Amino acid sequence: MPTISTHSTRQYCQPWFYIGLLAFIVITLREKTSSRVGEGKSRDARLHRLNLMTTLLALLLCCHSTAYAEEKTPAQTSPPVVEQKSTPAASDKTKLATKITDAESEPKTQAQAQLESSMDNVKVIEKTLTTLRKEIDNSKKGAVLNRATIKDGLDLISSQLKDAHVDLEDMRSLISTQGINLEKLQNDLLTLKRNDLTALQRSLNANAADVSSQKFLIENYASGGYETLLKIAELSTKLDKLSQGQSVQKDSKQNERISMIKDLDRLWLLLAIVMVSFVPIAFAIANNKEHNKPLLDGATAQQGVLLVCLAAFFGYFILGFSFMFGPSTGGWLGSMGFVLLGNATEPSLKSTFAFAEFLLYQASFVLFAALIIYTAIGRQLSGMAHLLLALLVGTLLVPVFGHWAWAGHFITDNKGWLEAIGFVDAGGATTINTLAAGFVLAWLWRIGKHKPASHDPDHPENEPVYCASALFFLAISVAGFTAGSLSISSNQIAPTLLNVGLAASAGGLAALLHYRYTRVDKGQVTRSLGGFVTGLVAVSATASTLDFAEALIVGAIAGLIHNVTYTLLRKSILQQVWQVRAAYIVAIHGAGGIWGSVCVALFGTEGLFAMPNMGQLGLQLTGTASALIYSVGLANAVFFLYARYNK
Amino acid sequence: MANSKALLGVLALCLTGMCSHFGHAEETSLPRPSLYIGIENNRKPYVYFDANRQAQGFLVTTIQSACEQLDLKCHFVGGRPENLLLNLQNIKLNAVLLLDSALPPKVDALKLTHPPNIDHLKFTKPLCQLVPVLLHKKQAPARTKPEDFKNTTIGVQEGTVFHSYLVAKYSGVAHIKAYPLLESAIIDLVFNRLDGVLGEKTFFKARVFDTLLDEYAELTSTPADIQDLSTTRIVLAVREHDTDLLKQLNAALAPPASTTKACTELLASASVKPVKSNH
């Protein structure tokens, strides 16, 4: 069955319409039947009235139901609570709620009244139909079929009336329930307005006040934070300025100190130049005995020293320094015009030392090498030949290898290939001594092969190359070589000088003792002096890095090496009498230089007798081998030219 | 009963007489009328309240000198601009100082005019003119056009005309971050959380460049040539019916036939004196 809440009014109207229509049809049929059978007029009139009444009732109910449904439907579907909640002010809310209450209660009352009226009408219909049923039962004569038809129709009407009644009852109870709910809801809303809304408003106000005060506090904190930032900035800036002031003072003092140290370094270098300048004196004294035996062209040995020094120095200044310290070409050779073109004195050149001072200092190394060669070869060449040879030493022999090993000493970034791979030679053990010894050895070996053996009483076996007086000057010179390039602020100068002295002493003593306990002749002093110089040569490579005990070891072993090497040389390569001096020189400078270079790896590591640096040892041997190959090769080349010239 | 009524009558007469007497005495003890002026709570260096709740700032000094000139006793009341204007319309205040707030009716971003048109209010001649300036780090790249600010974050004081301008012109390219206090924006700028801060030159002069913060944080400023903000000025708002007060304030605040000073000039010329607050 349709219900009001879910069906349209048209559907709701249908039963009553059908009832009226059915009643109308039944009565009409009855009239026709009566007219055909000719029944009495009084009964027709009664039936006609009943027909009209039933039709009217059905239409009335139909219209009433339509009106009721139209009134009821919007009230049920609209949500009044929502509308009330959106009311802005409390007073307005109350008024509006009252209006809503009135508006809602009026149709509800009307609906209830109309429903009650409808129920009364239904009861009337039932009563009428009951009467009609009785009348039909009484008038059953003559119209059996029509009576059955009418009875069926009346049963249908009765059934539908009952259903309609049940529906109406349901609807009324539903309306009643909804009304109760509505009243309850309305009461709740009114209660909310009067009590809870006030509390809610107070709570909101309190919350708003809290939020406001918290916002005020946050702003205060932000403001305080900014003031703190300003104070931090002020303190920081003041601190920076104070620090800068101190820094300026500190920088000024530092600059003064650096300037003073530089001046002292220059002074020390100048002093070292003086010290290394004793090399020619030492060799002049060493060659003093030779004055009675002139060179091949008649010049005395001391004059020869002078010639060698002049030629070597000149050659070194003209080309040698440029080859050695000029801008490197692949780490093999310096620029030729470095000195002559004035590039060496450029202010923009970031050189470690002043040009003139450094050249003077380095020139002494070259003189040292040239004089070693001169002393070793001696009377085998003329003065002019020695001069040319010294020129060669000053321009080519020392500068080329010197570039490989020392180029970075003048301009830090301008390194030769040996220096670049890590080869170390501080005081010229390899660059000067080994190089010169290698050259001498090759040269004299070549001469010895071509010269017949002779007994020369002027070359006694036990005559030292360096006499005692020469040896002192040589010691001073080596001290200059080893410590001259050190900075005065490094506190290494004195230990280096001490190491030089210790090594030399140990070398001399070791050679003396070795020879004393292995031989019985008078050569012990000669060995001792040779051992002393060998100790000097050996320690020159590592003097600044050795501990004192290590210096003693280096020197002592150097002394022993000197003795052994001399013996070996005399027995194998340099056997002739006139080669005694050369054998001593090769033993001193060659063997001593090689040992000194090896000592860089063996003793150069930080710490007393620390583990040797095997990698460095390889580099040192590479450097030494390079020096020997280069010097021997050059000596052979020069000797070849010399031999061709003599022919 | 009749006696009681007579006694009450006498008592009433006495009370009336006393009241009139005290009222007259009070009149004689207040030589100057009071003027209540609304100002913002914390807008250094323009206006602010110190720890003793005394109004400070160069604009307070300027207004105070005008009050003395008009023989008025000025009381400064703190609050938010919108509330102050409401209090002005509700006759709780006599005047309100309008700094740079973008007040209702909502300012058209493309035609930023300050002060805005507000019903039933009138404004004095300008106290000084605001100069927009962008504060940024020294090492920051030079930015002049809106596209230069792509993917940057600009700080600004919330609710000001500068804020409205940035939202209107720069919100498409840059991230706009509004702060209740511009000092908070500067803190963020110092700690590299912002690329720039748009504000008024006087504020930056007093709060950044007159301190050591600019050296500490390596800050500098670039004038922001914003035509839309060229008419932004600081004024006093009064009710439209207070025409006498408006005339008096105009006469006292602005010298005749003179151009409006920049606020930085006013800051330099004003001497700060503490003024008792009624906040």
Side-chain angles (χ1 to χ4, degrees):
Chain A
M1 289 295 289
T3 60
I4 287 176
S5 59
T6 55
H7 292 77
S8 68
T9 53
R10 190 178 172 187
Q11 288 172 318
Y12 183 70
C13 179
Q14 278 178 349
W16 301 105
F17 178 75
Y18 290 139
I19 290 166
L21 185 63
L22 188 62
F24 181 77
I25 291 165
V26 168
I27 293 167
T28 307
L29 286 172
R30 178 80 179 174
E31 281 177 359
K32 285 180 179 177
T33 307
S34 298
S35 62
R36 281 200 300 268
V37 296
E39 288 184 17
K41 287 184 179 177
S42 59
R43 191 177 173 188
D44 291 341
R46 200 166 51 245
L47 281 171
H48 184 66
R49 282 199 304 274
L50 181 62
N51 183 17
L52 286 174
M53 191 179 66
T54 309
T55 307
L56 284 171
L57 275 170
L59 288 172
L60 177 66
L61 278 171
C62 181
C63 294
H64 167 71
S65 301
T66 305
Y68 173 74
E70 283 175 353
E71 287 170 1
K72 188 65 189 174
T73 305
Q76 282 181 330
T77 52
S78 63
V81 177
V82 175
E83 289 178 5
Q84 286 181 22
K85 276 185 179 175
S86 63
T87 319
S91 57
D92 293 336
K93 283 176 186 172
T94 311
K95 288 174 185 175
L96 188 60
T98 311
K99 283 180 183 175
I100 289 167
T101 308
D102 295 338
E104 286 173 350
S105 61
E106 190 177 355
K108 197 184 83 177
T109 312
Q110 286 177 356
Q112 281 180 343
Q114 285 172 353
L115 273 172
E116 285 170 3
S117 171
S118 297
M119 291 303 296
D120 291 338
N121 289 335
V122 168
K123 284 172 185 173
V124 170
I125 289 169
E126 282 178 336
K127 195 182 280 182
T128 307
L129 284 174
T130 306
T131 308
L132 182 61
R133 190 186 296 268
K134 284 177 183 175
E135 285 187 6
I136 289 169
D137 288 339
N138 292 333
S139 61
K140 55 187 176 184
K141 294 174 183 174
V144 178
L145 288 173
N146 291 333
R147 191 169 57 87
T149 308
I150 292 167
K151 193 171 183 302
D152 291 340
L154 288 173
D155 289 341
L156 182 63
I157 290 168
S158 176
S159 168
Q160 291 199 345
L161 269 174
K162 280 181 183 176
D163 291 344
H165 182 69
V166 171
D167 287 345
L168 283 170
E169 284 293 327
D170 290 345
M171 188 179 68
R172 191 170 64 172
S173 65
L174 181 67
I175 289 168
S176 177
T177 307
Q178 285 182 346
I180 291 166
N181 289 339
L182 199 62
E183 283 175 7
K184 192 179 175 184
L185 188 63
Q186 192 169 330
N187 288 334
D188 289 347
L189 278 170
L190 288 170
T191 310
L192 185 66
K193 281 174 205 157
R194 287 167 192 163
N195 300 325
D196 295 348
L197 275 180
T198 311
L200 189 64
Q201 186 72 30
R202 283 178 186 162
S203 175
L204 281 172
N205 288 339
N207 286 334
D210 285 347
V211 168
S212 179
S213 65
Q214 283 171 3
K215 197 171 179 182
F216 181 71
L217 280 174
I218 288 168
E219 285 186 6
N220 273 350
Y221 283 137
S223 196
Y226 189 76
E227 298 301 332
T228 308
L229 181 66
L230 290 182
K231 283 180 183 173
I232 289 170
E234 186 182 351
L235 287 173
S236 176
T237 310
K238 282 181 180 175
L239 198 64
D240 283 348
K241 284 178 180 173
L242 192 65
S243 176
Q244 282 172 2
Q246 286 180 344
S247 179
V248 167
Q249 287 180 349
K250 196 176 177 181
D251 288 347
S252 174
K253 285 181 180 176
Q254 186 74 15
N255 289 336
E256 285 178 10
R257 189 167 181 269
I258 290 169
S259 175
M260 190 174 69
I261 287 171
K262 278 187 176 176
D263 290 343
L264 287 173
D265 284 346
R266 289 184 70 184
L267 185 65
W268 169 242
L269 185 61
L270 290 170
L271 185 61
I273 290 168
V274 173
M275 290 166 72
V276 297
S277 298
F278 286 120
V279 167
I281 298 171
F283 278 91
I285 293 169
N287 286 286
N288 192 31
K289 279 189 177 180
E290 296 289 309
H291 69 280
N292 293 326
K293 298 284 182 182
L295 302 175
L296 291 179
D297 58 356
T300 62
Q302 282 184 329
Q303 288 171 340
V305 169
L306 183 63
L307 287 173
V308 165
C309 287
L310 291 175
F313 183 80
F314 181 75
Y316 187 68
F317 178 79
I318 297 295
L319 286 174
F321 190 88
S322 297
F323 285 148
M324 196 165 172
F325 295 107
S328 182
T329 306
W332 293 96
L333 196 64
S335 171
M336 187 185 288
F338 185 56
V339 173
L340 292 180
L341 296 177
N343 296 332
T345 54
E346 277 290 321
S348 60
L349 200 67
K350 293 178 180 177
S351 57
T352 313
F353 300 96
F355 165 71
E357 294 155 12
F358 192 65
L359 188 139
L360 284 171
Y361 180 65
Q362 290 296 326
S364 297
F365 283 96
V366 176
L367 294 185
F368 191 16
L371 287 171
I372 289 169
I373 293 169
Y374 169 75
T375 305
I377 295 173
R379 283 182 292 168
Q380 305 304 317
L381 294 174
S382 66
M384 182 54 67
H386 273 297
L387 190 143
L388 291 172
L389 192 60
L391 200 61
L392 180 77
V393 170
T395 55
L396 211 60
L397 178 68
V398 173
V400 171
F401 189 81
H403 183 79
W404 299 352
W406 282 356
H409 288 195
F410 186 55
I411 303 168
T412 309
D413 297 334
N414 186 39
K415 289 182 177 173
W417 70 273
L418 274 176
E419 192 179 10
I421 64 172
F423 173 72
V424 176
D425 180 22
T430 306
T431 311
I432 303 300
N433 293 281
T434 306
L435 199 70
F439 190 91
V440 165
L441 183 64
W443 186 279
L444 291 178
W445 180 67
R446 293 292 296 267
I447 293 178
K449 285 207 308 183
H450 295 89
K451 202 171 184 178
S454 65
H455 179 73
D456 188 354
D458 292 334
H459 290 283
E461 195 72 23
N462 294 324
E463 185 179 337
V465 177
Y466 301 109
C467 61
S469 55
L471 199 143
F472 284 120
F473 284 110
L474 204 57
I476 293 170
S477 301
V478 172
F481 287 135
T482 52
S485 58
L486 296 176
S487 172
I488 206 157
S489 63
S490 65
N491 296 323
Q492 288 179 311
I493 292 174
T496 301
L497 295 176
L498 184 56
N499 282 341
V500 169
L502 286 172
S505 305
L509 195 60
L512 173 71
L513 293 174
H514 171 259
Y515 196 79
R516 176 70 183 79
Y517 289 105
T518 56
R519 300 286 184 91
V520 290
D521 56 22
K522 296 178 183 178
Q524 56 193 4
V525 176
T526 307
R527 300 296 192 283
S528 174
L529 294 175
F532 186 90
V533 182
T534 310
L536 286 176
V537 170
V539 84
S540 63
T542 55
S544 59
T545 58
L546 293 177
D547 289 319
F548 302 135
E550 289 174 337
L552 284 172
I553 299 295
V554 168
I557 293 173
L560 298 176
I561 286 172
H562 164 261
N563 285 358
V564 173
T565 307
Y566 175 77
T567 305
L568 289 173
L569 285 171
R570 285 298 292 156
K571 284 181 179 175
S572 57
I573 301 173
L574 304 173
Q575 295 173 344
Q576 296 196 38
V577 175
W578 58 270
Q579 288 178 327
V580 170
R581 289 173 66 89
Y584 271 120
I585 283 176
V586 171
I588 291 168
H589 297 285
I594 292 169
W595 169 241
S597 181
V598 170
C599 285
V600 172
L602 297 182
F603 300 101
T605 316
E606 193 69 28
L608 182 62
F609 298 116
M611 280 294 290
N613 186 337
M614 301 312 289
Q616 187 64 40
L617 181 62
L619 295 173
Q620 295 304 119
L621 290 175
T622 303
T624 303
S626 302
L628 287 173
I629 291 167
Y630 169 66
S631 60
V632 169
L634 189 64
N636 279 298
V638 173
F639 186 82
F640 174 75
L641 293 172
Y642 173 72
R644 284 196 67 174
Y645 175 78
N646 278 342
K647 283 180 180 177
Chain B
M1 193 65 182
N3 289 338
S4 303
K5 283 183 179 176
L7 191 61
L8 282 171
V10 171
L11 193 61
L13 280 172
C14 288
L15 283 170
T16 310
M18 284 172 69
C19 288
S20 64
H21 172 74
F22 285 126
H24 182 68
E26 191 178 359
E27 244 176 37
T28 54
S29 66
L30 284 174
R32 292 192 295 175
S34 293
L35 189 70
Y36 290 89
I37 300 170
I39 57 173
E40 291 186 44
N41 279 321
N42 192 0
R43 292 297 303 274
K44 292 179 183 175
Y46 311 97
V47 287
Y48 61 97
F49 291 94
D50 62 12
N52 299 321
R53 299 305 303 163
Q54 287 186 319
Q56 300 277 18
F58 72 94
L59 291 178
V60 169
T61 308
T62 305
I63 295 169
Q64 185 64 27
S65 65
C67 289
E68 286 175 4
Q69 202 177 331
L70 297 172
D71 200 22
L72 296 170
K73 187 176 183 182
C74 285
H75 304 272
F76 292 93
V77 181
R80 294 188 170 281
E82 57 271 19
N83 295 336
L84 291 174
L85 283 176
L86 198 63
N87 289 340
L88 177 64
Q89 287 169 328
N90 292 336
I91 326 180
K92 287 181 182 174
L93 295 172
N94 299 109
V96 169
L97 181 68
L98 294 179
L99 294 177
D100 53 3
S101 301
L103 295 165
K106 194 170 183 180
V107 179
D108 184 356
L110 298 176
K111 293 177 181 177
L112 288 168
T113 53
H114 191 83
N117 295 321
I118 302 174
D119 290 343
H120 309 302
L121 294 182
K122 283 195 173 180
F123 306 103
T124 63
K125 288 179 181 175
L127 274 74
C128 64
Q129 182 165 355
L130 299 174
V131 180
V133 159
L134 183 75
L135 186 75
H136 55 85
K137 290 265 186 178
K138 281 180 183 170
Q139 64 269 25
R143 296 185 177 104
T144 52
K145 295 173 287 184
E147 50 267 30
D148 297 337
F149 289 87
K150 194 174 182 181
N151 298 326
T152 60
T153 307
I154 310 171
V156 70
Q157 178 139 16
E158 192 178 33
T160 60
V161 287
F162 304 109
H163 185 199
S164 299
Y165 173 78
L166 283 180
V167 169
K169 292 288 182 73
Y170 285 80
S171 56
V173 289
H175 176 60
I176 313 298
K177 195 171 179 184
Y179 294 83
L181 277 179
L182 204 55
E183 283 89 342
S184 303
I186 294 176
I187 292 173
D188 275 358
L189 179 67
V190 168
F191 295 113
N192 297 315
R193 288 193 286 264
L194 288 179
D195 297 295
V197 176
L198 184 66
E200 209 275 317
K201 188 177 180 180
T202 316
F203 173 82
F204 293 133
K205 183 181 184 315
R207 301 291 281 161
V208 177
F209 296 108
D210 286 352
T211 68
L212 295 171
L213 188 62
D214 58 329
E215 288 182 34
Y216 172 70
E218 296 183 341
L219 298 174
T220 187
S221 65
T222 306
D225 187 17
I226 303 170
Q227 290 299 319
D228 296 325
L229 296 177
S230 60
T231 57
T232 305
R233 288 162 172 73
I234 294 177
V235 294
L236 274 171
V238 297
R239 287 182 296 277
E240 65 179 352
H241 299 300
D242 291 344
T243 50
D244 291 340
L245 178 62
L246 183 66
K247 281 179 188 173
Q248 287 176 349
L249 286 173
N250 277 335
L253 286 171
S258 67
T259 56
T260 306
K261 282 183 181 179
C263 290
T264 45
E265 294 176 41
L266 197 61
L267 171 69
S269 61
S271 59
V272 180
K273 293 174 188 173
V275 181
K276 188 69 179 175
S277 163
N278 279 6
H279 178 66

